Amino acid sequence: MPTAEWNIIFEDISKLLDVLDADESYLITEVAPPNDDITTPPPANFEGKHLIVGSVTSFVERLSDELTSHLLYLDPNSSEYISLLKDDSKFYGLVVRAQTYLTRIIPTKSYGEIEGDQLCRIIIKRLESIYYKPVQLIVLAELNAWNLLNTEDNSSIAKIISSEATDALNISQVNSLLDSLCSHLYQYSTGAASPVYRKRAALMQAYYYATSNQFFRARDILHLTHVQTTIHTSEPGVQVLFNRAIVQLGLAAFRSGLLEEAQTILNEVVTSPHTRELLGQGRIYFSNSNSNSADNGSSEKGKYVPFHMHVNIELVDAVYYISSLLFEVPLMALQAYQGSTPGAVAYANGEAQTQAQNAKKNFSRSFKRILEYTERQYFQGPAEETRDTVFEAYNHLVKFNWKTASKILCELRVWNMMPGVSVSNSQGKTGLELLNDMLVESCKIQALKTWTYVNSGTIKNYSVRKLAARFEIDESLVCNTIGGLIYREEIRGFLKFNDDGSKTVVFEKKEDGMGEIVRGLTDRVNSILERNEKLSLGGYQIMLKKK
């Protein structure tokens, strides 16, 4: 549909709502009795209302579909695409106005019936218009929409009518708005499409919480609704929304410093060869002269999202590989050093590696495969892609050079595309500053673990104070990190508290490989002797084969 026609239809629907608001005795609803004679007005019911068969909800839904289709088939770099985005805020005001009209004509007792399904469909459209936006844009869209309406007559509808001074208060307002809209769908959605409404509401709610740095709330919503158990049977549009919510959940876990969770969540999407299709970000090439345009549009509905809703693939890849780097670098460095350490050191390091693998840690096969391919190159030029920069940081981190590694990671340009980097917390720090602090702290901890793995077989003891000065972290954090490795039996040793108040890490050396072999052979000899004694006493009966 051309933009000019879309604007004309938008104005016609707005005028229709003006007429209905001016004369409240006439109501347009889907459950009105049919009127065969269109020349005469329908008779009034017992409340004095004239019910006209129609659907304001269907008008709004069709207008939304046409706007989305137009955005999909336009070049996102064109000026027409940018100008069309302005209609999105105008359309959101129409959705809010349609919700206020349906809330007025539908009684509360009918919310769970067929008549209330109209309101659920409008609320879904309202959620679809705001769930992916930053908090500041959601507040601005709400203010623009409600400035054109009378808020006193619509006190029962969830709304935002004022902008707060801090980002934290604005986030609280938007949380209440999203929770209220989704709660209505959870409670009152009926009909054949009610499971789809609930799934979409849960996924959009989780998507919003993930982008606003509320990882645990987003994770709990997905766990409590059990969306993942039935997502494979859902329609393509719901599956795309699920994948988008999962990716945002992984990004939120990374911003929270939960590297293992971020790697696990993003693994399936990043390692897939069809990442763009999973996220609904494939390119659509469309010709207006195609006679089957209507059929193609209906079959592709929901599989793709407009460009301004896309998730940056380069950012997702960077987060995944950095999570894998920081989570696995101690054990990968251990493998690299194991071949160059002789005798007892190699055996001790091998034991730590085996015990760590028995702890069921997650390993990224794609990360190791790309790393091995990079190491086999005879000539490695400067980093051209974000992924190459991540592997450059790996080379410094395995050498305990956490300063250079953290500097390389913090200077990546993709962080400007991370959701929530412009939001400030209660201490006044922006999301980008918090992200850089998390990367630096993680590099320090992983460098400390790598140093401990590599040197635990060669060093007898080491001062905690020196370790804290070397990696520029608190002594308590050094004790917690190394104590965790000792508790999980990844290294052999203990923490010693000296009389002067200082602390020392004491590493216990394992006997060499020959001693282990001798002990194993001794156990075998003892088992053979025990078996022979039982045979001599008749404890075992051996059946001989008959010739």
Side-chain angles (χ1 to χ4, degrees), residues 115-333:
E115 186 178 5
D117 185 64
Q118 305 173 76
L119 184 58
C120 292
R121 287 153 55 193
I122 281 292
I123 291 177
I124 279 288
K125 287 301 175 184
R126 188 176 177 187
L127 282 171
E128 289 177 352
S129 300
I130 61 174
Y131 79 95
Y132 62 92
K133 295 180 179 179
V135 173
Q136 298 91 335
L137 290 184
I138 296 177
V139 174
L140 182 61
E142 282 284 310
L143 294 178
N144 293 336
W146 287 103
N147 284 338
L148 303 176
L149 299 174
N150 188 358
T151 58
E152 296 180 358
D153 296 339
N154 303 286
S155 58
S156 61
I157 301 177
K159 64 179 75 69
I160 297 176
I161 57 176
S162 63
S163 178
E164 299 295 340
T166 62
D167 291 330
L169 295 176
N170 285 327
I171 290 175
S172 178
Q173 284 193 108
V174 179
N175 289 354
S176 302
L177 173 65
L178 267 291
D179 291 343
S180 177
L181 296 176
C182 292
S183 297
H184 183 95
L185 294 172
Y186 298 149
Q187 185 175 0
Y188 296 115
S189 59
T190 58
S194 59
V196 178
Y197 294 161
R198 295 191 183 101
K199 285 181 183 178
R200 294 185 66 85
L203 293 174
M204 287 187 283
Q205 193 177 14
Y207 188 104
Y208 159 73
Y209 279 128
T211 55
S212 58
N213 296 328
Q214 302 177 70
F215 166 75
F216 294 103
R217 295 191 69 173
R219 182 199 61 182
D220 293 344
I221 289 172
L222 294 178
H223 284 175
L224 293 175
T225 54
H226 303 287
V227 180
Q228 63 276 9
T229 58
T230 58
I231 194 63
H232 60 282
T233 62
S234 303
E235 57 186 21
V238 180
Q239 293 182 10
V240 167
L241 181 57
F242 174 79
N243 294 331
R244 286 165 51 80
I246 287 297
V247 167
Q248 291 295 346
L249 187 66
L251 297 180
F254 179 78
R255 293 194 298 271
S256 301
L258 306 173
L259 304 177
E260 182 178 359
E261 287 80 355
Q263 181 197 24
T264 304
I265 293 171
L266 296 175
N267 179 65
E268 187 173 355
V269 175
V270 174
T271 56
S272 172
H274 307 289
T275 302
R276 291 189 178 275
E277 287 73 14
L278 290 175
L279 298 177
Q281 299 179 184
R283 282 297 189 96
I284 299 179
Y285 298 97
F286 182 76
S287 175
N288 290 330
S289 61
N290 191 353
S291 60
N292 298 324
S293 60
D295 296 337
N296 292 339
S298 61
S299 62
E300 298 297 321
K301 181 180 178 181
K303 291 185 179 180
Y304 302 99
V305 295
F307 179 78
H308 66 280
M309 298 173 60
H310 284 190
V311 180
N312 189 273
I313 302 297
E314 186 180 5
L315 173 64
V316 177
D317 288 341
V319 168
Y320 174 74
Y321 287 116
I322 291 175
S323 300
S324 302
L325 165 71
L326 296 177
F327 179 61
E328 299 176 6
V329 67
L331 296 182
M332 298 181 73

Side-chain angles (χ1 to χ4, degrees), residues 334 337-353 454 457-458 513:
L334 180 60
Y337 278 89
Q338 184 181 359
S340 61
T341 51
V345 178
Y347 187 82
N349 288 344
E351 183 195 34
Q353 179 185 0
V454 172
T458 57

Side-chain angles (χ1 to χ4, degrees), residues 307-461:
F307 179 78
H308 66 280
M309 298 173 60
H310 284 190
V311 180
N312 189 273
I313 302 297
E314 186 180 5
L315 173 64
V316 177
D317 288 341
V319 168
Y320 174 74
Y321 287 116
I322 291 175
S323 300
S324 302
L325 165 71
L326 296 177
F327 179 61
E328 299 176 6
V329 67
L331 296 182
M332 298 181 73
L334 180 60
Q335 294 177 359
Y337 278 89
Q338 184 181 359
S340 61
T341 51
V345 178
Y347 187 82
N349 288 344
E351 183 195 34
Q353 179 185 0
T354 302
Q355 291 175 347
Q357 290 176 348
N358 292 336
K360 299 181 179 180
K361 290 183 179 290
N362 296 323
F363 294 93
S364 172
R365 294 182 180 179
S366 61
F367 179 82
K368 288 187 176 181
R369 183 172 61 251
I370 297 175
L371 179 62
E372 292 172 357
Y373 173 78
T374 304
E375 291 177 343
R376 287 198 300 266
Q377 302 300 315
Y378 291 102
F379 174 75
Q380 296 181 5
E384 298 180 355
E385 299 179 357
T386 303
R387 187 177 64 182
D388 300 334
T389 307
V390 173
F391 289 107
E392 182 182 354
Y394 166 82
N395 295 328
H396 294 281
L397 200 56
V398 295
K399 300 174 184 177
F400 326 128
N401 189 1
W402 62 268
K403 289 185 178 180
T404 305
S406 61
K407 181 180 179 181
I408 292 174
L409 296 180
C410 290
E411 291 179 351
L412 291 176
R413 291 178 294 178
V414 295
W415 300 136
N416 294 324
M417 300 176 232
M418 176 73 80
V421 294
S422 60
V423 179
S424 302
N425 64 353
S426 57
Q427 286 79 25
K429 283 191 173 183
T430 62
L432 185 59
E433 294 175 346
L434 294 174
L435 180 63
N436 290 337
D437 293 343
M438 184 275 295
L439 289 173
V440 172
E441 196 69 18
S442 299
C443 287
K444 292 179 181 180
I445 297 299
Q446 300 308 321
L448 173 61
K449 288 184 178 180
T450 305
W451 182 93
T452 305
Y453 276 129
V454 172
N455 296 287
S456 60
T458 57
I459 297 177
K460 185 176 181 181
N461 52 54

